[in-house]
Amino acid sequence: MKKYFQNIWQAVKTLLIGLGITLKHMFKIRKGNVTLQYPEEKWPRPDRNIGFDPKIYNVIRSKLHVDIDDCIGCRKCERACPVDCIKIDTIKVPKETDLGLTSYGTTKRLLVSRFDIDMTECMFCNLCVYPCPEDCIFMTGGPNSEKQPLDYEYSQYDRSKLIFTFSNVTKKDIKRITTPPPVPQEILKND
Ligand code: SF4
Ligand code: SF4
């Protein structure tokens, strides 16, 4: 009989201890000590020490970005990609067409009509980044944070949305830029 009541007491005691711990955490709850209110809150990326200066070398392989206004369409990045997930199309424009300069002062001679990166195939090797003469393709975050903040969350429901398109050239632009200007009436009359 004594053992029977001892067991009951033990069960009640254990229950009270458990409830006490729950109540203690409930009233002493601090922001961040239980869980993060994702997606409003995100864990910061931990620092990685792999022997490179993180101010110079981007140890974070997050997401590729292209500053398309600086791209000269040289396709060096496309050729460097071991898995062919970069697709670039360019159009040669007439000599007199001014496409402007890049941030490094290079004259742009090609219209980049397509610049797609299939991130479902990308293996984040960074090999496309090194040969770029304009430094306009890079991984976001790290030393590039000022240009593009870290972005490592880009889940999509549809795989096709993971093909990032960077070219902002429209069909109308192509027609306008590649159509030669009309011959002045005076020249036609002289002929
Ligand atoms: S990071 Fe590597 S796999 Fe991804 S696009 Fe660049 S070269 Fe290709
Ligand atoms: S290497 Fe740079 S400039 Fe050349 S096509 Fe790629 S992103 Fe553009």
Side-chain angles (χ1 to χ4, degrees):
M1 195 66 173
K2 191 181 164 196
K3 184 81 180 152
Y4 175 74
F5 284 108
Q6 266 179 347
N7 284 344
I8 291 176
W9 168 241
Q10 192 61 33
V12 172
K13 195 176 144 193
T14 312
L15 198 69
L16 288 173
I17 290 172
L19 280 172
I21 293 170
T22 307
L23 283 171
K24 199 170 122 193
H25 279 278
M26 231 175 82
F27 291 114
K28 283 192 168 178
I29 197 159
R30 276 182 291 121
K31 202 171 175 248
N33 73 342
V34 178
T35 187
L36 285 180
Q37 298 301 310
Y38 183 85
E40 285 77 24
E41 294 177 325
K42 289 172 189 159
W43 286 112
R45 284 286 301 242
D47 285 337
R48 291 168 66 208
N49 184 5
I50 56 169
F52 296 98
D53 182 352
K55 289 194 186 92
I56 301 165
Y57 183 81
N58 198 352
V59 293
I60 302 166
R61 302 282 167 84
S62 54
K63 177 181 170 186
L64 275 171
H65 180 80
V66 180
D67 275 343
I68 198 69
D69 288 343
D70 280 343
C71 177
I72 54 172
C74 66
R75 305 174 87 152
K76 286 185 179 174
C77 53
E78 186 186 46
R79 284 194 289 271
C81 179
V83 292
D84 287 340
C85 66
I86 301 179
K87 304 285 181 219
I88 299 172
D89 289 338
T90 56
I91 298 168
K92 208 171 172 188
V93 296
K95 242 186 198 169
E96 57 280 1
T97 306
D98 181 13
L99 292 178
L101 303 175
T102 66
S103 300
Y104 287 169
T106 313
T107 307
K108 293 200 272 182
R109 306 230 179 259
L110 297 167
L111 190 67
V112 182
S113 55
R114 179 190 182 197
F115 199 127
D116 297 347
I117 304 179
D118 186 345
M119 293 307 285
T120 63
E121 291 186 10
C122 176
M123 56 183 188
F124 301 90
C125 64
N126 221 29
L127 288 176
C128 53
V129 170
Y130 305 116
C132 180
E134 302 295 324
D135 290 334
C136 61
I137 182 167
F138 53 85
M139 292 280 172
T140 60
N144 301 318
S145 291
E146 277 185 22
K147 292 195 273 184
Q148 277 292 320
L150 178 65
D151 186 1
Y152 56 88
E153 296 182 80
Y154 44 100
S155 309
Q156 297 287 349
Y157 288 109
D158 186 344
R159 279 170 68 97
S160 65
K161 293 213 170 76
L162 288 170
I163 299 173
F164 297 143
T165 57
F166 293 97
S167 173
N168 47 16
V169 173
T170 62
K171 281 185 185 161
K172 221 169 146 188
D173 293 332
I174 296 172
K175 201 173 167 202
R176 180 174 49 80
I177 289 172
T178 54
T179 307
V183 181
Q185 286 299 315
E186 303 82 61
I187 296 175
L188 287 175
K189 274 178 201 161
N190 291 342
D191 284 348

